[in-house]
Amino acid sequence: MSDTEKTANGITARYYETDAERVLEFETDGRTAAIAQNIEGYAMLKVRPTADGDELERYYGFDMALDHAAELLGCSPHDLPVPEKAEDMGM
């Protein structure tokens, strides 16, 4: 198991960093959702339909962002795998 990728319940989660953001991207059955935070890790979390898609909503808490991502994927938030490097996202 990688600390940047995890698969469970038919959902694959990938965590990576860009020059500006920390990104947690989920994919299952052709549907995607992404959670992004600034690279410093202290800003609100942005939920998007894709990693480079338009922001749908912002949240302080990781649990709330996971709830929204799960809604986009049509699954339970408890089904979302979270790679180790992404576990500290949120404020």
Side-chain angles (χ1 to χ4, degrees):
M1 177 173 47
S2 166
D3 60 353
T4 59
E5 185 170 319
K6 191 171 185 179
T7 300
N9 307 307
I11 303 165
T12 299
R14 291 178 190 87
Y15 171 83
Y16 58 92
E17 295 178 0
T18 68
D19 289 340
E21 292 184 317
R22 302 174 69 199
V23 179
L24 176 58
E25 187 173 31
F26 298 99
E27 181 181 358
T28 185
D29 296 328
R31 294 183 305 262
T32 61
I35 299 172
Q37 184 176 38
N38 72 3
I39 196 70
E40 291 84 14
Y42 64 81
M44 293 179 77
L45 299 164
K46 299 171 239 175
V47 175
R48 303 174 180 149
T50 62
D52 59 355
D54 291 334
E55 177 184 320
L56 299 172
E57 191 69 58
R58 287 186 184 210
Y59 299 98
Y60 285 109
F62 193 37
D63 288 344
M64 296 289 291
L66 288 172
D67 284 348
H68 192 162
E71 186 178 306
L72 292 172
L73 297 172
C75 68
S76 167
H78 302 290
D79 291 338
L80 295 177
V82 177
E84 186 178 328
K85 288 222 179 218
E87 290 176 353
D88 67 342
M89 292 180 80
M91 295 185 72

